[in-house]
Amino acid sequence: LAEVLWALVLTKEHLRECIGTSMLADSALELHREQEIYRLIGRFFDRAVCYAAEAYDREASLHREDPVVTIAR
């Protein structure tokens, strides 16, 4: 799980760096567009992290053994 989450975090950072170097805002409108792209990227990857963690928990719960309860008589 940790490896998947780190991959998402690093991909998000790399994407933001690429956008930052390729988009030089010359006007207020372009700066606003750049900030909106950053916001949408952040939202996408934040949700991807949450969905990955939820899916991992769901799969892990399916594969856990039910605890055996013994009653002493």
Side-chain angles (χ1 to χ4, degrees):
L1 174 64
E3 292 158 346
V4 171
L5 299 182
W6 271 112
L8 289 169
V9 169
L10 294 174
T11 302
K12 175 182 167 181
E13 289 177 5
H14 181 70
L15 185 57
R16 283 184 167 183
E17 287 175 11
C18 288
I19 289 170
T21 58
S22 67
M23 292 182 68
L24 300 174
D26 293 334
S27 68
L29 180 59
E30 289 177 3
L31 179 61
H32 177 70
R33 286 180 181 163
E34 186 177 337
Q35 290 174 338
E36 181 67 8
I37 288 171
Y38 285 154
R39 186 186 71 78
L40 293 172
I41 289 170
R43 184 177 180 189
F44 173 84
F45 281 97
D46 291 348
R47 288 181 178 205
V49 165
C50 291
Y51 289 135
E54 287 174 1
Y56 180 85
D57 285 344
R58 202 170 33 251
E59 282 297 312
S61 69
L62 293 175
H63 296 289
R64 282 190 205 117
E65 292 183 27
D66 291 331
V68 177
V69 178
T70 58
I71 300 173
R73 290 183 184 213

